[in-house]
Structures are given as structure tokens and as C-alpha cells.
Amino acid sequence: LVMRSLVYHRRTGLVAAFGLAIATAVVTGSLVIGDSVSGSLRDTALSRLGRITHALVSPRYVRAGLAQDISSDCVALLAADGAAHQPQTDVVTPRVAVYGITRDFWEQFRIVGPMTVKSLSERGCILNKALARDLGVSEGDSILVTLENRPEIALDTLFARREIGDTAPTVRLTVEQVLDGGPADFRLDSQNATPRNVFVDRDWLAKRLGRAGEANVLLASADPQ
């Protein structure tokens, strides 16, 4: 009786089996793709952080030497928002992250393979590939970067300094190197989008912002080198 029923309802059975196979393939594929995407996002986030396990982002500036007081593996950064301008083509990229760093910053990342990082001169900068592509620049080109200098006194108060050179100074930089991925795409927030980063010498940036010897980001690693 079972065999005769299967033969009699063979068309319905084939359609049901075909639909079940498609549904199984769709569910399996979704799970595989979901795991792959999650793994890719996790790998990207970890590559941007390197060995960094703790970060302090201060709304006010602190003494840069505080990093070494905390730990020999702690690094002080001077971070500022800004906009990059390619003077030859007038291309402007807003929402650029400018990081004043020292050589110790790169030691927070396990840089392997052909990637090597050059030492920065006073007016030299390192760009990540995304920003270099947006601006259409390469090594040796010059760019203008307008910095957002947040004053200690609010701008709407009587004693605030409102001169454009104080609140939004513009500096000319020479692109010394373009880096792709990993530490070049460093960011501390949870956004997945590729940031637009400019790395400059910390002491030079601090002088331009009137923040000599100060920093506003501390990075530490609990993972020994």
C-alpha cells in the first residue's frame, strides 16, 4: 500500500522533495555566509587593533608622559578630527582622523610580511590606502589638512579664542608613505566602514595645536611582545 501510494502521488512527492532540497540549501548557505561574514568582520576589527586591549579616550588633554607612568607598554596619541584637501585637484575628504603618533604606536601591531613603516619627519605624513585613493595622491605628493582644535574654553563664551588659525589651523603635509589595511586602518569605535586616517609626528602636531607634551588617547596592551 505504501509503495502504491508513492507511485500514485509521485508528482506531489517529487515537488515536495525538490522544495525541501532548495530550502535546505538556502538555510545551509545562509549559515555558512553568516559565519563567514562574522569571521571577516572579527578579523578586520582585530587587525585594526593589533595587540591593543585597553584604550582611554579623554575629552580633555592629559600629560603624554602619563602613558609611561602607567606601563612601559602604554602609548600616548594625540588625536584630532579634520579634513584633507588635495590642492592640485581641489578634492576634499571630510571626516578625516588625524593621529599624532610616535614610533611606539606601530609596535602595538604585529606587522609581518612586506609591510614596513617609515619614520615620520616634521611635515611628513602616512595615509591609509582608502584616503590616498579618495584624494588621488601617492608618495611624494602634498596635501592640506585642516585640523579641529578643541579649545579648553567653549567658543560661545566671552574669553574664547575664535580666530580661524586657532580653532581650525591648516597645515601642509607631504605624503611619505601609503599603507594598506591593518594598523593603517586603526580605529577604536565599532564602525565597520574603512576610516580615512592621517598619521603625523605627535610632537610636531602637539606644537601646531598648542598642546606640547600632551595627548588625549592612551593605548595599552596586556599581551607581551
Side-chain angles (χ1 to χ4, degrees):
L1 179 61
V2 172
M3 295 301 299
R4 291 176 63 186
S5 298
L6 290 175
V7 172
Y8 182 78
H9 297 289
R10 60 185 180 278
R11 294 183 179 179
T12 304
L14 288 174
V15 172
F18 184 68
L20 181 61
I22 293 178
T24 302
V26 170
V27 172
T28 303
S30 299
L31 293 175
V32 171
I33 292 174
D35 289 342
S36 177
V37 171
S38 298
S40 298
L41 294 176
R42 180 178 182 275
D43 292 342
T44 299
L46 292 178
S47 68
R48 292 174 177 177
L49 293 176
R51 299 187 304 112
I52 299 168
T53 56
H54 298 78
L56 171 64
V57 181
S58 173
R60 295 184 178 274
Y61 294 93
V62 300
R63 182 170 53 88
L66 180 62
Q68 292 303 307
D69 294 343
I70 295 174
S71 170
S72 60
D73 203 28
C74 188
V75 180
L77 273 65
L78 186 58
D81 296 327
H85 174 215
Q86 219 288 42
Q88 301 297 326
T89 60
D90 285 334
V91 174
V92 177
T93 301
R95 295 184 295 277
V96 170
V98 182
Y99 295 105
I101 63 171
T102 61
R103 188 70 185 178
D104 294 338
F105 171 76
W106 304 112
E107 295 177 2
Q108 295 292 326
F109 299 86
R110 292 190 177 94
I111 299 177
V112 297
M115 179 182 289
T116 56
V117 182
K118 298 179 180 178
S119 298
L120 286 167
S121 60
E122 281 197 346
R123 288 188 174 273
C125 68
I126 294 176
L127 307 183
N128 68 336
K129 189 174 182 179
L131 179 56
R133 182 178 60 249
D134 290 349
L135 294 175
V137 297
S138 57
E139 294 182 11
D141 292 338
S142 295
I143 62 172
L144 299 175
V145 177
T146 301
L147 304 169
E148 179 183 348
N149 189 12
R150 301 173 183 173
E152 294 289 346
I153 303 175
L155 292 176
D156 56 355
T157 60
L158 178 62
F159 299 102
R161 302 178 65 176
R162 298 181 177 85
E163 292 81 3
I164 191 66
D166 296 325
T167 60
T170 299
V171 295
R172 180 179 292 272
L173 301 172
T174 300
V175 180
E176 295 186 348
Q177 191 172 9
V178 176
L179 297 179
D180 184 15
D185 294 338
F186 167 76
R187 72 184 308 165
L188 291 174
D189 57 31
S190 59
Q191 298 296 320
N192 295 322
T194 303
R196 272 53 180 170
N197 292 339
V198 180
F199 300 94
V200 296
D201 180 73
R202 188 187 70 194
D203 293 337
W204 177 82
L205 179 62
K207 292 178 182 178
R208 297 294 302 180
L209 297 178
R211 299 293 178 181
E214 296 181 332
N216 56 2
V217 177
L218 300 180
L219 305 176
S221 170
D223 180 16
Q225 297 186 25

